[in-house]
Structures are given as C-alpha cells and as structure tokens.
Amino acid sequence: MSLASYIGCNIELPITDDEYSDESLYIGGCFAGEENLQDVKKYQFTTPYVYEVSSHWGIEITEYMNQKTCAESKNKLLELCERMDGYLKQSDYFELYSCWVGEEDEKREGEITLQINNFDIDQIEIPEKTLVRIEK
C-alpha cells in the first residue's frame, strides 16, 4: 500500500504529463487512479478540481514517524503552499488530504485550517486522514 496525498481547489492546475518527475513535488499521477480521485472528491473535498500531489510518498507530519520522512513531508508542504500561493486569489483556499490508496472514502479523522503564509511548520501535526484547509 502507498500513502497518497491529494489537493482539491477551485481552479484548474497544470499537471505533469509523465508519471515520474525528478522534482520533489509535482501535480500529477503517481499511486492513485481515476476512481481514487473521484472518491476523495466525493467524500473529502468541497472543491470541484482534484489532483494527486505526487512525491512518491504522501504528506504526513506526526511526531511518531521516521524523522527523515517527517522532514521531507514538511518540505513538501512548504513547497506546495509556495506553489499554490501563486495560483490562488486572495480569500481563496485549497484542501489537502492524505490517506492510504483505497481509503479515500473512509471517515476522516481530523480537520485543521492553516493560513498559507502564516504557520510554523514545526508546530503543526497532519496525520493521515486529516483534511487540511489552507487559506490565502
């Protein structure tokens, strides 16, 4: 099984055409199929556009995980926020959700809201199955 991360937003985003990129984070397919995208859209997000955020492992930030993987997730989240800041208009938002592939329709375990440029990455926790609303 693989941990996938998805974003939902109110705008269409450019996606990476291939399934592999040397970039640490890109918008495009990796683990999930079309059914997974539809399930996460239906059960988790409030937005019309849904994408997998591919990084060859999902974004999860908890004190219980391997420190190297946690640090990579923090960097991915910061990079994602930086990219999305360029796409979003003032008062818009995007949503982030990470879960094991195949669990997109399961009940979420938490919700948090962050301001896109105003949070301390070392003070947040984002376990799997947590819906994160990131506002501009």
Side-chain angles (χ1 to χ4, degrees), residues 50-65:
V50 176
Y51 305 93
E52 183 177 8
V53 179
S54 302
S55 54
H56 301 290
W57 199 251
I59 297 171
E60 180 182 18
I61 301 171
T62 70
E63 64 181 294
Y64 304 108
M65 55 189 301

Side-chain angles (χ1 to χ4, degrees), residues 36-122:
N36 304 111
L37 291 169
Q38 291 305 313
D39 281 347
V40 79
K41 178 179 179 178
K42 179 178 179 180
Y43 294 100
Q44 307 305 333
F45 291 150
T46 64
T47 56
Y49 299 102
V50 176
Y51 305 93
E52 183 177 8
V53 179
S54 302
S55 54
H56 301 290
W57 199 251
I59 297 171
E60 180 182 18
I61 301 171
T62 70
E63 64 181 294
Y64 304 108
M65 55 189 301
N66 171 294
Q67 291 302 307
K68 181 177 184 240
T69 305
C70 187
E72 289 171 359
S73 285
K74 288 178 180 182
N75 287 335
K76 290 174 195 175
L77 179 60
L78 292 171
E79 183 178 341
L80 178 61
C81 287
E82 183 178 314
R83 286 192 193 182
M84 291 303 294
D85 191 30
Y87 293 120
L88 300 177
K89 294 181 172 129
Q90 195 60 36
S91 77
D92 202 0
Y93 66 95
F94 74 97
E95 297 167 315
L96 170 69
Y97 189 78
S98 298
C99 65
W100 295 97
V101 172
E103 295 182 352
E104 292 83 2
D105 61 349
E106 293 184 9
K107 183 180 177 189
R108 70 177 75 129
E109 295 179 5
E111 293 182 37
I112 63 172
T113 300
L114 301 172
Q115 298 301 312
I116 199 163
N117 292 316
N118 191 21
F119 63 89
D120 183 344
I121 193 70
D122 294 318

Side-chain angles (χ1 to χ4, degrees), residues 16-27 29-30 54-56 83:
T16 305
D17 290 334
D18 61 356
E19 290 191 10
Y20 178 78
S21 173
D22 288 333
E23 296 180 49
S24 63
L25 181 89
Y26 65 95
I27 298 169
C30 187
S54 302
S55 54
H56 301 290
R83 286 192 193 182

